[in-house]
């Protein structure tokens, strides 16, 4: 068993809340690295999910003895295959609309609404590095739906269930979401 808590190398509070809940379901404690260290400026992200996640984990791990989790994530839209990906957050940050509203506007009158979401996790425990990936392919809903989680979960529609991720309770959502699947993959490696 690894020492706890695990520190998340991120400034994204929504991501922290989601990952904290997912790790708690697996009996692990996750919290922001800022509970142990002053806020850091992370190096600019590059063109590789794994490297982005590892750079964040490495940067925090140099300053603490606790395990550190780095992450990166992105979306792929079938209708716009050359957009987003590893640049998702940077692309959406440049838009005049909030992310979900921008995606809905971008997909207005578009027939192919397939979306794939990816989560890449790198856990650094001393010199040991574990990597985990989770993904989900679904559809983009025609409007935001659900209040049980936020962000893209309100748009990611699972046709087989007739619901968005944000309409699913936390334990059910963990089975389907990209981050839930990545955390499950990582936890399997810890045992």
């Amino acid at each position: 068993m690894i020492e706890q808590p695990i520190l998340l190398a991120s400034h994204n509070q929504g991501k922290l809340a989601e990952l904290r809940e997912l790790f708690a379901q697996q009996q692990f404690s996750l919290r922001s690295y800022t509970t142990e260290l002053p806020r850091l400026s992370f190096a600019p992200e590059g063109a590789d999910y794994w490297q982005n996640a590892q750079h964040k984990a490495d940067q925090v791990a140099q300053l603490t003895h606790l395990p550190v989790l780095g992450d990166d994530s992105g979306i792929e839209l079938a209708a716009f295959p050359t957009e987003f990906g590893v640049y998702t957050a940077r692309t959406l940050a440049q838009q005049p609309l909030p992310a979900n509203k921008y995606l809905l506007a971008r997909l207005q009158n578009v027939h192919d609404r397939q979306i794939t979401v990816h989560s890449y996790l790198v856990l650094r425990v001393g010199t040991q590095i574990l990597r985990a990936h989770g993904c989900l392919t679904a559809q983009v809903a025609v409007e935001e739906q659900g209040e049980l989680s936020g962000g893209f979960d309100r748009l990611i529609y699972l046709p087989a269930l007739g619901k968005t991720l944000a309409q699913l309770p936390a334990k059910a959502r963990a089975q389907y979401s990209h981050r839930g699947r990545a955390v499950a993959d990582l936890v399997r490696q810890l045992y």
Side-chain angles (χ1 to χ4, degrees), residues 145 157-165 167-168:
Q145 300 173 45
Y157 180 75
L158 304 168
L161 301 179
K163 296 181 178 189
T164 65
L165 286 175
Q167 292 174 302
L168 298 175

Side-chain angles (χ1 to χ4, degrees), residues 44-64:
E45 293 188 335
D48 181 272
Y49 288 111
W50 291 118
Q51 287 179 359
N52 293 340
Q54 186 161 341
H55 285 314
K56 289 182 253 186
D58 288 348
Q59 195 170 340
V60 173
Q62 291 174 5
L63 304 171
T64 181

Side-chain angles (χ1 to χ4, degrees), residues 44-48 52 72 86-95:
E45 293 188 335
D48 181 272
N52 293 340
D72 200 15
V86 71
Y87 300 104
T88 298
R90 289 167 272 183
T91 299
L92 293 174
Q94 296 172 4
Q95 304 310 318

Side-chain angles (χ1 to χ4, degrees), residues 147-163:
E147 299 297 325
L148 300 177
S149 64
F152 293 140
D153 286 2
R154 293 180 177 168
L155 292 180
I156 298 173
Y157 180 75
L158 304 168
L161 301 179
K163 296 181 178 189

Side-chain angles (χ1 to χ4, degrees), residues 36 39 47 51 54 58-59 69 78-80 92 98-99 102 116 130 136 143-144 147 155 163 165 171 183-184 189-190:
E36 300 287 324
R39 185 178 169 100
Q51 287 179 359
Q54 186 161 341
D58 288 348
Q59 195 170 340
L69 182 71
F80 306 105
L92 293 174
Y102 174 75
T116 301
L130 301 175
L136 168 66
E143 64 183 4
E144 291 186 73
E147 299 297 325
L155 292 180
K163 296 181 178 189
L165 286 175
K171 286 197 175 194
V183 169
Q189 296 177 55
L190 292 172

Side-chain angles (χ1 to χ4, degrees), residues 17-29 169-175 177 180 183 187 191:
E18 182 179 356
L19 285 168
R20 181 184 288 149
E21 183 176 280
L22 290 166
F23 273 89
Q25 289 176 21
Q26 302 286 342
Q27 310 306 312
F28 286 93
S29 172
K171 286 197 175 194
R173 187 171 54 253
Q175 296 174 33
S177 78
V183 169
V187 169
Y191 289 108

Side-chain angles (χ1 to χ4, degrees), residues 63-129:
L63 304 171
T64 181
H65 68 282
L66 292 169
V68 179
L69 182 71
D71 86 291
D72 200 15
S73 57
I75 65 171
E76 296 169 2
L77 294 173
F80 306 105
T82 60
E83 296 180 36
F84 304 106
V86 71
Y87 300 104
T88 298
R90 289 167 272 183
T91 299
L92 293 174
Q94 296 172 4
Q95 304 310 318
L97 295 171
N100 285 359
K101 291 191 185 314
Y102 174 75
L103 289 179
L104 288 172
R106 192 83 167 88
L107 289 168
Q108 190 173 3
N109 302 318
V110 173
H111 177 70
D112 190 349
R113 300 178 73 84
Q114 181 177 300
I115 185 172
T116 301
V117 285
H118 293 274
S119 174
Y120 293 80
L121 302 177
V122 173
L123 178 65
R124 181 163 198 130
V125 184
T127 59
Q128 183 182 15
I129 295 173

